[in-house]
Amino acid sequence: MHIEVRHLNKSFGSHAAVQDVSFQIERGKLIGLLGPSGGGKSTLLRMLAGLETPDSGDIYINGKRVNDVQPQLRGIGFVFQNYALFKHMSVFDNIAFGLTIRKTSKAEIKARVGELLDLTGLRGFEHRYPHQLSGGQRQRVAFARALAPRPELLLLDEPFAAIDAKVRKELRTWLKQLISTLGITSIFVTHDQDEAVEVADEMLIVQQGRLEQQGSPVHIYTDPQTAFVAGFIGHSSVVEQPASLRGFENTSITAGARALVRPEFVEVGREQEIQFPSAAEKGQVRHIFFRGAHLELDIQVGDNRLSAHRSLDQEPLQPGDEVSVLIHRLYVISDESATMVENPLKVDPLPVHI
Amino acid sequence: MAGGAVTVQLSEKAAHRPKHITESVGVRIVLISIALLFLVLVVLLPLLSVFIEAFKKGADVYFAALRDPDALSALRLTLTTAIIAVPLNTVFGIAAAWAISKFRFRGKNILITLIDLPFAVSPVISGLVFVLLFGAQGFFGQWLQAHDIKLIFALPGIVLATTFVTFPFVARELIPLMQAQGVQEEEAAASLGARGFQIFWRVTLPNIKWGLLYGVILCNARAMGEFGAVSVVSGHIRGETNTLPLHIEILYNEYQFAASFAVASLLVMLAVLTLIVKSFIEWRTNAKSPERSADDAH
Amino acid sequence: MKGSTSKRTKPRSVLPGFGLSLGFTIFYLSVLVIIPLAGIFVKTSGLTPEQFWHTVSNARVIASYKVSFLTSFYAALVNLVFGLIIAWVLVRYRFPGKKLIDSLIDMPFALPTAVAGISLTAIYAPNGWVGKLAEPLGLKIAFTPLGITLALIFIGLPFVVRTVQPVLQDLDNEVEEAAVMLGAFRWRTFRRVILPELIPALLTGFALAFARGIGEFGSVVFISGNMPMKTEIAPLLIMTKLEQYDYKGATAIAMVMLIVSFILLLLINYLQWRSNRRVVTA
């Protein structure tokens, strides 16, 4: 195992930033550390880097405990949220900084920096200063600078947060490709789930200092293990009394348990459009939001409000329209764990009379 | 050349610094000791010495020196000078800061540099220019003599020189402050129908009052303490054209050290008062700033 | 006079008082500063170049320039080093009495120069508290160039501290951490990353202290001893010439100093403008 963390704890005053976090990471993986702002992601990352000292717990890199190794000697590359470029140094000198510290020969530095300039597409910009670069270019310089000393592990703290939306998308794709080419183990922090899902090989979901779940994006999406993960990933509606929804009346739901319903679990349409009309119930369209590629519907079903998607190709609906609503499945939340329950009526359809 | 135009706030940034980006305890102690020793030798000891020297011959000598008619007339002259010079420079400072911070026009940077000029000029030269203009052999000298107007070696000369030397203080304090505040609030007020002085009085002034106050007290401290420029234009006529600093010089040169330091102690107290007001203003601005940044957030 | 008055500079603003405030500013500036200063140039232009040269190349005048410039330079240098240390300590460390120390820094701005002059003399004269200790070591402070330098250190102290302090305060921890992650230990981080960021502020503070030192009069005359050729500063020489009614001589000496001051002023404004620009765009 390349990186291993055992029972890590860190408090700032009375605030517990990281609580009993343990995980393992394989070599060459790109890990997304995802969670709400202020949830302890950055503290975790900074402890790996050695920028913060854990109160207790151990960090192993290549099987070696590094708790007492100074950050300068851990061989970790770090990309800061605001890049933290050296303002008074040219792009070349920024990238070369880590190499000059290691007393690398001039020729070697030149070669390595050249290599990174090509890799990051910054060739031609090496004599510019940070204030003469765009946000995306600065990000690339920060990246090249961190990579120059050939670190074993690359840590990125909210690497795309300071870049505007359009460039951010390009940069994500570019970064994913680059990291997979280099094969360097990388961990990046983000609070943006789309970013994590798109870029990461594996995600660590962190909330209030605790590690909620670790797994591939698909795994986390389809099989959330805790209430928090089920609610945090996707855009779910909360249903206070799942038994009030058609199809779930008799399912074994503990009393008092809530349910989460994702928009993609909900099918909405005129009665004839629905696959299993008998499993559907009546609802009313409250609002319709145009979301570019699709429509988002706000539906009232009994006492519950659900969010659903509808294709632009389908027959248009109006607010106030009476519709059929079929809930394919939902997550039942009890005791902080999440269980997926399929709509039983759908599996065993009743005869259809037209 | 900002003569104290910077108001620095000591934030709590110093509170938590991870160990790899701060110095070892030993280095910290050494650096703090160096800083303290330096300040004691250069600033604190001289300040203390003023009071110790002043009371060397007892409280009687001290108070006698302050009650001396020449000392009283020097005090009166110093106050008169400050009462004329400070308001003039305050009005100028506000006008200049208003024009510079609320409007765009060509040559703004040149104007700012020109306002700084008196900082760059030696006080002696500041006095000299007025002697050259209004002195007996000066540019307007003959004309003034013909009309029996005495500017140099008289109150007007002292006021002129003092005003010149303290000219930039209020402006330099206000310009950066008002530039940072921008024009949005004033424009909002104008769009709501406020006019002319109403905008200034009701919107701008509340925003700048602390900076303005600091500029004014600093200007006042310098006006009362100016030595070089006043020395050139005053003519040193005892009981007539001697300001407090000049009176201190005369006593000192006559080896009346205790009396000299007694008068000096008055000016030290003025300086201390100035710094207390300054600290108070900084404390006020610091206390208010979180609420201000919350305002800015939305 | 409300709203815009000038055609060329159209303020295009809804705010009133542009004409009034700018007009008054320029009027006041001209009457009080520009016209009087121009007086010096008019007066000097009454001198023939030979007369001018004769005055300023006089050995005593040259010596006074030397004293003024050298002591100012050394004082600014001392302030550069200690100002940096003081600013560093005030921004980064916590220790009792810090607030008090911080206000003390402004003392030279607020304290009349003559008071500073007599009190420094009292302490550093051969019979003063510190002078007494220094004399057996063969170190004479008051009435030597060292004394002048000391007075100028006092006068220039706030400049370096107050220009460096805000820059140090705004320095991002992340930049230092970036250096750490690239393998730099403390001293290297300071020298290669922090110090370069401070250089514009240090230079500005140095230039301000130097410029102030050249012109300083009140605090120096008491401690300098005023010996021609040795401890006579240029402003004092101007004063002496004036007392002898040698207006032309005084003006010529002042001219040279004014020109140096203007150059310094331009340099300082350039430095500040440059570092501002970097901050704004970066």
Side-chain angles (χ1 to χ4, degrees):
Chain A
M1 205 46 67
H2 189 200
I3 311 290
E4 191 174 350
V5 166
R6 287 186 203 154
H7 307 296
L8 216 52
N9 281 291
K10 175 77 183 174
S11 306
F12 295 108
S14 60
H15 170 68
V18 170
Q19 301 178 57
D20 196 27
V21 168
S22 304
F23 59 84
Q24 300 183 332
I25 292 169
E26 284 171 50
R27 185 179 291 278
K29 289 273 193 221
L30 175 51
I31 308 293
L33 195 53
L34 176 67
S37 299
K41 305 175 303 262
S42 289
T43 310
L44 198 52
L45 202 70
R46 289 170 59 83
M47 282 196 282
L48 287 176
L51 294 174
E52 300 284 354
T53 317
D55 297 338
S56 65
D58 303 306
I59 301 168
Y60 294 87
I61 298 178
N62 286 331
K64 187 181 157 229
R65 186 172 178 276
V66 296
N67 284 43
D68 302 320
V69 178
Q70 287 172 291
Q72 288 91 339
L73 305 174
R74 286 195 190 185
I76 292 177
F78 202 111
V79 176
F80 290 86
Q81 184 169 357
N82 298 309
Y83 323 129
L85 297 181
F86 305 132
K87 276 186 276 188
H88 57 278
M89 291 185 201
S90 65
V91 168
F92 185 97
D93 291 334
N94 261 287
I95 299 176
F97 186 85
L99 301 169
T100 57
I101 297 282
R102 283 168 183 74
K103 301 212 173 15
T104 318
S105 76
K106 276 232 166 83
E108 237 175 292
I109 291 177
K110 212 167 169 232
R112 177 68 179 151
V113 174
E115 207 176 298
L116 284 159
L117 286 170
D118 289 334
L119 198 65
T120 51
L122 286 167
R123 182 65 84 182
F125 291 95
E126 57 264 43
H127 299 301
R128 297 235 187 146
Y129 284 84
H131 67 91
Q132 298 166 313
L133 300 176
S134 72
Q137 288 166 335
R138 283 181 213 171
Q139 161 65 303
R140 287 163 194 244
V141 176
F143 192 71
R145 184 179 69 175
L147 286 176
R150 302 181 196 276
E152 280 222 51
L153 171 65
L154 184 65
L155 303 176
L156 307 102
D157 190 3
E158 300 266 7
F160 309 110
I163 297 177
D164 53 86
K166 199 166 175 293
V167 187
R168 199 185 304 169
K169 282 215 131 190
E170 292 168 25
L171 221 60
R172 272 187 214 164
T173 323
W174 172 82
L175 185 72
K176 185 172 170 65
Q177 280 170 357
L178 189 61
I179 287 180
S180 70
T181 322
L182 294 170
I184 178 174
T185 314
S186 308
I187 305 177
F188 72 98
V189 160
T190 179
H191 61 266
D192 178 348
Q193 52 166 305
D194 294 341
E195 193 168 289
V197 166
E198 189 183 319
V199 179
D201 299 327
E202 207 173 284
M203 305 203 311
L204 295 173
I205 314 281
V206 175
Q207 189 235 171
Q208 289 185 355
R210 293 178 186 284
L211 178 60
E212 296 273 336
Q213 192 171 352
Q214 177 177 12
S216 70
V218 176
H219 179 73
I220 288 190
Y221 199 86
T222 53
D223 185 19
Q225 277 157 11
T226 69
F228 172 77
V229 175
F232 185 67
I233 300 288
H235 305 272
S236 308
S237 316
V238 180
V239 175
E240 291 299 337
Q241 285 181 321
S244 69
L245 294 171
R246 178 157 171 80
F248 300 92
E249 298 90 340
N250 302 316
T251 45
S252 55
I253 295 171
T254 358
R258 293 173 303 134
L260 289 173
V261 184
R262 294 218 175 119
E264 55 269 38
F265 297 170
V266 182
E267 198 177 335
V268 173
R270 309 273 182 214
E271 199 171 349
Q272 66 276 11
E273 289 174 341
I274 305 289
Q275 273 177 292
F276 306 99
S278 58
E281 63 181 310
K282 291 284 172 244
Q284 200 182 25
V285 179
R286 291 176 58 106
H287 298 288
I288 298 176
F289 306 99
F290 178 61
R291 290 283 184 243
H294 64 269
L295 297 173
E296 190 181 319
L297 309 179
D298 183 8
I299 310 288
Q300 184 83 38
V301 180
D303 292 336
N304 302 309
R305 283 177 72 169
L306 300 175
S307 179
H309 291 167
R310 189 171 164 87
S311 160
L312 288 166
D313 302 333
Q314 288 171 292
E315 189 189 332
L317 295 173
Q318 300 297 326
D321 282 1
E322 185 92 337
V323 285
S324 286
V325 179
L326 168 62
I327 297 155
H328 287 269
R329 62 190 77 85
L330 46 71
Y331 291 118
V332 175
I333 308 296
S334 62
D335 295 338
E336 294 305 301
S337 71
T339 334
M340 190 192 283
V341 178
E342 288 281 338
N343 188 334
L345 296 177
K346 201 185 82 178
V347 186
D348 182 25
L350 294 171
V352 180
H353 305 284
I354 300 172
Chain B
M1 293 165 80
V6 253
T7 343
V8 182
Q9 298 164 6
L10 292 174
S11 79
E12 284 315 300
K13 213 177 173 182
H16 174 76
R17 292 189 71 81
K19 65 171 192 271
H20 52 271
I21 54 166
T22 192
E23 291 71 45
S24 63
V25 181
V27 174
R28 266 182 277 172
I29 290 174
V30 168
L31 288 179
I32 292 174
S33 309
I34 292 175
L36 290 182
L37 186 68
F38 183 81
L39 287 172
V40 165
L41 282 178
V42 174
V43 183
L44 207 58
L45 274 188
L47 277 187
L48 286 180
S49 80
V50 171
F51 290 96
I52 289 170
E53 295 284 336
F55 282 101
K56 222 174 196 169
K57 295 198 173 137
D60 292 348
V61 177
Y62 180 85
F63 289 108
L66 298 187
R67 272 196 300 264
D68 180 80
D70 286 346
L72 288 176
S73 96
L75 178 64
R76 222 173 295 128
L77 181 62
T78 295
L79 290 176
T80 314
T81 308
I83 283 169
I84 302 171
V86 174
L88 274 177
N89 284 335
T90 305
V91 172
F92 161 74
I94 292 171
W98 180 265
I100 286 169
S101 65
K102 306 294 177 195
F103 302 94
R104 297 158 163 272
F105 55 92
R106 246 183 258 184
K108 192 189 273 190
N109 285 331
I110 297 174
L111 184 61
I112 295 176
T113 306
L114 286 175
I115 290 175
D116 276 347
L117 259 185
F119 277 142
V121 176
S122 169
V124 173
I125 298 178
S126 311
L128 172 69
V129 295
F130 291 105
V131 172
L132 290 181
L133 281 180
F134 304 120
Q137 297 177 32
F139 207 74
F140 301 109
Q142 284 190 328
W143 185 86
L144 288 171
Q145 252 173 353
H147 292 78
D148 203 21
I149 303 172
K150 206 162 152 57
L151 293 184
I152 297 305
F153 306 140
L155 178 68
I158 294 173
V159 172
L160 268 178
T162 304
T163 314
F164 180 96
V165 171
T166 57
F167 173 82
F169 279 92
V170 179
R172 285 309 282 169
E173 194 63 31
L174 288 185
I175 290 170
L177 187 66
M178 284 169 69
Q179 273 179 331
Q181 280 169 351
V183 295
Q184 284 181 1
E185 288 185 40
E186 281 81 5
E187 283 178 351
S191 74
L192 293 170
R195 284 195 288 151
F197 272 102
Q198 265 184 320
I199 297 181
F200 175 75
W201 204 251
R202 311 244 321 248
V203 179
T204 312
L205 193 61
N207 277 334
I208 60 166
K209 61 182 176 210
W210 296 112
L212 179 64
L213 179 61
Y214 180 52
V216 169
I217 58 160
L218 202 61
C219 181
N220 178 63
R222 285 299 281 268
M224 291 194 174
E226 180 47 36
F227 179 73
V230 172
S231 176
V232 174
V233 295
S234 101
H236 302 269
I237 307 163
R238 241 185 209 221
E240 262 179 61
T241 60
N242 259 351
T243 60
L244 279 183
L246 296 180
H247 188 60
I248 293 172
E249 185 200 17
I250 290 183
L251 292 174
Y252 188 87
N253 286 342
E254 287 172 353
Y255 301 102
Q256 302 186 40
F257 292 130
S260 169
F261 279 99
V263 179
S265 72
L266 284 185
L267 290 174
V268 172
M269 286 186 266
L270 173 72
V272 170
L273 188 71
T274 304
L275 295 187
I276 289 174
V277 175
K278 185 199 173 200
S279 303
F280 173 75
I281 292 168
E282 271 173 12
W283 173 76
R284 289 257 349 179
T285 0
N286 271 352
K288 275 184 80 180
S289 54
E291 141 198 352
R292 179 162 276 286
S293 55
D295 281 352
D296 293 342
H298 55 76
Chain C
M1 280 220 305
K2 267 186 183 164
S4 72
T5 47
S6 159
K7 270 176 198 147
R8 266 201 9 220
T9 56
K10 259 193 197 123
R12 236 185 276 125
S13 167
V14 297
L15 297 180
F18 178 68
L20 182 66
S21 60
L22 187 64
F24 178 69
T25 301
I26 290 174
F27 169 77
Y28 190 76
L29 182 71
S30 310
V31 168
L32 196 68
V33 178
I34 303 194
I35 295 174
L37 279 178
I40 287 219
F41 289 83
V42 173
K43 196 77 189 175
T44 349
S45 57
L47 286 164
T48 62
E50 289 77 30
Q51 280 176 312
F52 176 80
W53 184 245
H54 182 75
T55 313
V56 298
S57 63
N58 174 284
R60 186 170 162 194
V61 176
I62 297 277
S64 78
Y65 284 144
K66 229 187 217 164
V67 171
S68 277
F69 287 107
L70 278 180
T71 53
S72 299
F73 182 80
Y74 290 131
L77 215 56
V78 170
N79 276 325
L80 189 70
V81 175
F82 288 91
L84 175 60
I85 294 176
I86 291 169
W88 186 275
V89 162
L90 285 177
V91 171
R92 302 220 156 183
Y93 303 156
R94 291 208 290 183
F95 55 93
K98 183 163 123 170
K99 282 258 154 71
L100 191 72
I101 299 291
D102 189 57
S103 348
L104 211 57
I105 302 293
D106 285 326
M107 192 43 96
F109 281 152
L111 191 72
T113 51
V115 178
I118 60 170
S119 55
L120 283 168
T121 314
I123 292 173
Y124 292 95
N127 57 354
W129 299 341
V130 181
K132 226 185 300 185
L133 300 174
E135 189 145 63
L137 307 172
L139 195 64
K140 261 192 87 184
I141 302 174
F143 317 126
T144 69
L146 194 59
I148 303 175
T149 311
L150 186 72
L152 297 179
I153 290 171
F154 174 86
I155 291 300
L157 167 73
F159 291 104
V160 175
V161 180
R162 290 298 186 231
T163 46
V164 171
Q165 227 175 347
V167 180
L168 203 53
Q169 190 108 54
D170 289 344
L171 212 61
D172 198 347
N173 280 357
E174 279 193 357
V175 175
E176 285 170 60
E177 287 179 338
V180 167
M181 291 314 296
L182 292 165
F185 283 92
R186 199 61 196 145
W187 174 244
R188 189 97 67 124
T189 306
F190 174 75
R191 234 184 46 85
R192 300 255 337 249
V193 174
I194 304 174
L195 195 58
E197 298 273 338
L198 299 182
I199 279 181
L202 282 169
L203 279 179
T204 309
F206 177 86
L208 284 167
F210 181 61
R212 178 73 206 273
I214 294 172
E216 180 52 26
F217 178 71
S219 61
V220 176
V221 280
F222 297 99
I223 205 170
S224 69
N226 305 329
M227 283 178 344
M229 310 298 291
K230 281 189 188 144
T231 59
E232 187 177 52
I233 54 167
L236 181 71
L237 197 53
I238 295 175
M239 195 78 147
T240 315
K241 297 256 177 205
L242 270 179
E243 278 164 4
Q244 297 160 353
Y245 300 102
D246 179 5
Y247 286 15
K248 289 194 169 175
T251 316
I253 300 169
M255 263 300 283
V256 174
M257 294 188 59
L258 265 185
I259 290 167
V260 174
S261 301
F262 289 163
I263 292 170
L264 278 169
L265 181 67
L266 289 177
L267 180 78
I268 290 160
N269 277 326
Y270 170 74
L271 281 170
Q272 277 173 341
W273 170 79
R274 231 186 61 152
S275 57
N276 279 345
R277 193 186 51 153
R278 246 198 192 169
V279 172
V280 169
T281 51

